Each structure stands twice: as C-alpha cells, then as structure tokens.
Amino acid sequence: MATKIADQVKETIPQNFDNQTTSENNSGIIPWKEFFTDPNLVKLIDEALKNNQELLITLQQIEIAKSDVMYKNGKLSPTVVAKLGAGVNKAGRYTSEGAGDATTEIEPGREMPDPLGNFEGGLVANWEIDIWHKLRTEKKAAVAHYLSTVEGKNFVLSSLIAEVADNYYELLSLDNQLDIIHQYMDLQKKALEVAKIQKQAMAATELAVKKFEAELAKSSATEYDLKQQITEKENQINALLGRYPQSIVRTKESFMSIVPQTIYTGIPSQLLANRPDIKQAELELESAKLDVEAARKEFYPSLEINATLGLEAFNPSYLVKLPESIAFNLVGELAGPLINKSAIKAQFKTADARQIQALYEYDKTILDAYIDVSNLMSKIKNLDKYYELKAQESKALDDGIGIANQLFRNSRADYLEVLMNQRDALDAKMELIEAKERQLSTVVNIYKSLGGGWK
C-alpha cells in the first residue's frame, strides 16, 4: 500500500509576504524585454538565449522525455512484424517424429523428404491488452515527466536571464570603480607634487613624500587588480553567451543614475503558478504518484495475445499452393505472479519512496521560494537606506578632500590628514558603487524569484 503524506507546506502557505501589503500586482509576469530597458543588456540576453550550452543541453533533455512518451504510447498498440525464415530438420528414424515422417506420403507415391526443409513467411503480432490501465498509467507518468522537463527548461531560461543581468551590472560596477581609482590617483599625484614642493621649501619632510608615493603605488596596484576582474567578468558573460572572449558592449557612464525598478510581489500563492521550478517539482510529484500506481498494477494478471499468419512449406515451390500452405496461430495468455513476488514488491517500494521524495522536493521548493522572496524584499528596503546614507557620506568626504588639500597647501594641515581624507573618500565611493550594484542585482534576483524571465 502506498504511503499517504499530507502536503502541509502547500496547504499552509501564508496569505501574503512578511511586511507586504496584499496585492495581486506581480512583477514576475512582466516579459523580460519590458523589465530590462538597457539595450546593450537586452542584446546580450538575446544572444544567451540562442547560444547558451546549458540551455541547449536542457532542450535535448526535453527531446529525450518526448521520445519516452512516444515509447510508452507505442506499447498501447499491437506490435506487428514481418517474418521470413528458412531452415532444415533431420529427425531420428526411431523417434515418433521420424517414424511418422517415414510412413507419410506428401502425394501418392512420394515420401516425405529427409532431411526436411522449412520455408515460411508472414506476419507476427503481439499485443498486451491494457485491462488494468497499467500501460496508460505509465504513459501518463511519462507525459508528466515530459512536462516537468519543459518547466525545467523555463527555469533555466529564468536563471540564465538573471545571471546575464547580474554579471552585466557587476561589470558596470567594476568599470566605475576603475574610474574612481583613476580620479583618486590624479588627486594623489597632485598631493605628491605639493609635498615635494613643500619639502624643498622646508615646510614638509621626506616622510610625507614617501607616504604619498606609497599611496600612489597602492592605487596603481588596485587599478591592475580591477582590470583583471573586468577581463574575467567579461569572459564570464561571454561564456554564458556561448562565445569566445571579446569585449562586452556597454555604457558605464549612466550606471550610478540607474533607478532600480519598483517590485510588486503579488501574493505567495502566485508562486505556484509563476515559478517554473515549483511547477517542475509539482509535475515530478505527479509523475512519481503515477509510477506508484503503475507499480501496484504489476501485481495484477496480464493478458497477452499472440498471432501469426503466413505461408509455410518444406519446399519454396509449395508456398504458392493455396490454401494448403496457409498457416496461422492465435494464442491468448492470462498470467499473473503467484510466488516469489520480491522483485515486484521491491519495484513498488522504490516507486513509493520516490513519490515521498518528490513530495519533499516539492514542499522544499515552495518553502525556499517564499523565503527567497521575503529575504530579498527585506534586502532591497535596507539597501535603499544604506545607499542613501553612503551617498551622504561620500559627498561629505568629497567636500573634506578639497578643504584638506587647501589646508595642506597652506601648511595648515598635516599630510596624514590629507591621506586619511582621500582614503576615506575613496572607500566611501567604492562602497557607494557596490551598493548600487547590489541594489540592481537584488532587483534582478527578486524578478527571478517571482518567476520572471521565462515568459
């Protein structure tokens, strides 16, 4: 008997997400070409959807599942094959067959040949009558699995679009960080010149000059590190697009002015219809339940019909003599297991365990989806506040750099004050750029978590 387990996760799914007002507006149903407005990003996603190897592999999995449906459907119909054969048989004289042949005449005065040839040709049919709907159940299970592979493809689509967008925004972030390093290096070069002039005027020491030189060398090292990260990020995008390394077309200047899209989560129950991974898990669960049903029916008797119709004779010349050479056979068999059912029981237990496993997978997918959306919505709110405060910090430190540099030129500030102000301003700008990238990536991930991208 199959195990019955209540689906508590699906039955108790909350009415709304944490701290979210109930609304059926859902950003997950927006087509990806409307959600992403950067034309360079849209072109990259378009190319990825045509050439990505993982997606192409998934499409072949769909073809495999489709072929399995055709195979299961074929088992519902009779199997008919054409048959041609030739052979020879020599029976011992002192056997019932040999003695019978020796005393038998084919025609008056013409004995049976010895050895005896046999030539035949005709049709052979075999058909398992699906009296318990076992074969139909197996076909339904195969169809459910096929549909799950289609949903699996949709999930790959959604993940691929999100991954391309996420890497694209990371690339723009690295571009802007590199620009900030260049600006910072320009400031350090000017400060170094001032320090050298002040040293000559005995207003500063060699230590100040060395400190500014060290800071400039450190920034130059960071520049090359960022360039390497940019190269790797470009190639990561190229790999997603299924192409060899080449430059990624992009516009970095507008990155900091991008306003993240407003996200509407809808209600949690919409995840069941929108997220392809949930639908895939649901279909795999349905397929597993049907496998249990089919495995149970293995305990029932099976009815098979075998039929043969053709021509048969010991000499090819007699094959055309009708109706004497016509041969046919019709057999119906009803057979069922009586003893030693251990193999069938093991098959049933395996199917039952897989059904339970599929239910747990389904529940886990639903739970993970809800928590994912809840976490990301909280994250985007906190990132908005974080970005606002970092922008204030960056502006204040930028203002401080000008003041510190002016005081240093007039010998009213120590070189360490200049260095610390510049370092703090650099860190704040870098963190501001990273905050912008995290904002945009979080929006992309929420879009994917709501089931967006594959439609």
Side-chain angles (χ1 to χ4, degrees):
M1 185 127 183
T3 308
K4 299 289 184 182
I5 298 179
D7 192 355
Q8 294 293 334
V9 173
K10 182 180 178 181
E11 292 172 0
T12 58
I13 190 168
Q15 295 298 312
N16 57 284
F17 293 102
D18 293 340
N19 304 319
Q20 299 292 317
T21 56
T22 302
S23 170
E24 293 192 3
N25 291 333
N26 193 316
S27 297
I29 63 175
I30 300 174
W32 69 266
K33 284 192 176 181
E34 296 178 18
F35 188 83
F36 298 107
T37 56
D38 186 329
N40 294 320
L41 175 56
V42 169
K43 287 180 181 178
L44 292 173
I45 294 174
D46 252 333
E47 188 169 350
L49 295 180
K50 294 174 185 175
N51 301 325
N52 180 262
Q53 277 80 18
E54 184 179 354
L55 181 58
L56 295 175
I57 291 169
T58 304
L59 292 176
Q60 294 311 305
Q61 291 174 345
I62 293 176
E63 292 301 316
I64 293 170
K66 187 189 295 184
S67 298
D68 190 46
V69 173
M70 293 173 62
Y71 170 74
K72 299 292 186 184
N73 188 55
K75 292 178 69 175
L76 289 168
S77 304
T79 300
V80 181
V81 297
K83 177 182 177 183
L84 288 174
V88 64
N89 180 52
K90 172 71 173 70
R93 176 65 179 80
Y94 301 108
T95 63
S96 59
E97 182 182 352
D101 288 348
T103 57
T104 301
E105 293 183 341
I106 299 171
E107 296 175 350
R110 187 173 180 183
E111 297 180 351
M112 290 282 286
D114 187 24
L116 183 66
N118 185 61
F119 299 89
E120 60 181 343
L123 301 175
V124 179
N126 177 269
W127 189 16
E128 181 180 351
I129 308 299
D130 196 22
I131 53 177
W132 310 113
H133 284 202
K134 183 191 77 171
L135 299 179
R136 288 179 176 82
T137 303
E138 289 178 349
K139 177 189 171 183
K140 288 180 181 176
V143 170
H145 177 66
Y146 162 70
L147 294 175
S148 79
T149 62
V150 174
E151 294 300 337
K153 180 263 296 182
N154 292 336
F155 184 65
V156 171
L157 280 175
S158 182
S159 300
L160 177 60
I161 289 169
E163 194 171 357
V164 172
D166 201 18
N167 280 283
Y168 179 76
Y169 290 135
E170 286 182 29
L171 181 59
L172 293 181
S173 171
L174 290 170
D175 286 338
N176 279 263
Q177 289 180 52
L178 185 60
D179 286 345
I180 292 298
I181 283 292
H182 288 156
Q183 293 171 21
Y184 182 54
M185 289 170 65
D186 289 340
L187 285 175
Q188 289 171 331
K189 288 174 183 176
K190 292 176 182 176
L192 177 59
E193 291 301 319
V194 171
K196 287 179 178 179
I197 293 169
Q198 287 188 342
K199 181 196 169 189
Q200 291 174 352
M202 307 298 291
T205 65
E206 179 69 15
L207 181 60
V209 174
K210 294 301 180 184
K211 283 287 186 180
F212 281 117
E213 287 179 346
E215 194 69 14
L216 183 58
K218 179 182 176 182
S219 298
S220 297
T222 303
E223 175 191 12
Y224 287 105
D225 180 55
L226 284 170
K227 285 180 177 179
Q228 178 60 27
Q229 290 183 54
I230 288 171
T231 298
E232 291 178 3
K233 187 59 63 178
E234 282 189 311
N235 288 338
Q236 194 171 348
I237 295 173
N238 283 318
L240 292 172
L241 271 57
R243 67 188 190 187
Y244 287 103
Q246 56 187 274
S247 180
I248 301 296
V249 178
R250 58 199 186 269
T251 305
K252 63 182 179 179
E253 290 77 18
S254 59
F255 176 71
M256 294 305 292
S257 61
I258 298 175
V259 178
Q261 289 234 29
T262 302
I263 293 292
Y264 301 97
T265 60
I267 55 178
S269 59
Q270 289 177 319
L271 292 174
L272 304 180
N274 290 346
R275 281 197 45 147
D277 58 333
I278 293 179
K279 291 196 286 184
Q280 180 184 19
E282 183 179 17
L283 287 163
E284 285 295 346
L285 175 59
E286 182 183 343
S287 177
K289 288 178 179 178
L290 290 167
D291 283 339
V292 172
E293 188 179 335
R296 184 191 296 112
K297 291 174 181 177
E298 290 289 346
F299 290 100
Y300 304 161
S302 61
L303 175 61
E304 286 194 12
I305 295 177
N306 297 286
T308 304
L309 175 64
L311 302 174
E312 186 175 18
F314 70 87
N315 190 306
S317 62
Y318 287 103
L319 288 174
V320 295
K321 289 190 176 183
L322 302 176
E324 290 84 354
S325 63
I326 294 176
F328 64 86
N329 178 53
L330 181 64
V331 178
E333 293 182 348
L334 184 65
L338 294 178
I339 59 175
N340 193 16
K341 301 179 183 179
S342 58
I344 300 175
K345 288 179 180 177
Q347 184 179 4
F348 175 78
K349 287 182 177 179
T350 298
D352 192 30
R354 284 177 177 161
Q355 175 195 205
I356 298 170
Q357 185 183 47
L359 176 60
Y360 291 148
E361 287 284 353
Y362 179 53
D363 286 348
K364 179 178 180 295
T365 307
I366 295 174
L367 189 60
D368 288 347
Y370 179 89
I371 293 174
D372 198 22
V373 173
S374 182
N375 285 343
L376 288 169
M377 289 305 295
S378 173
K379 184 177 180 180
I380 197 64
K381 286 182 178 179
N382 290 324
L383 276 174
D384 287 344
K385 295 294 184 184
Y386 178 85
Y387 182 82
E388 182 182 337
L389 293 170
K390 277 295 174 185
Q392 293 177 14
E393 178 190 1
S394 179
K395 185 178 182 306
L397 288 170
D398 271 349
D399 293 342
I401 285 179
I403 296 170
N405 285 340
Q406 186 62 41
L407 291 173
F408 181 60
R409 289 191 192 96
N410 297 329
S411 301
R412 295 177 60 191
D414 186 82
Y415 68 90
L416 287 175
E417 293 180 82
V418 176
L419 277 175
M420 293 306 298
N421 268 283
Q422 289 180 348
R423 284 181 183 176
D424 290 344
L426 173 66
D427 290 343
K429 284 189 176 182
M430 290 293 204
E431 289 168 359
L432 186 64
I433 292 170
E434 290 173 355
K436 174 61 72 174
E437 183 269 319
R438 288 167 61 193
Q439 276 186 319
L440 296 171
S441 292
T442 302
V443 168
V444 170
N445 289 327
I446 294 174
Y447 179 60
K448 172 194 167 186
S449 296
L450 292 172
W454 62 273
K455 294 181 180 178

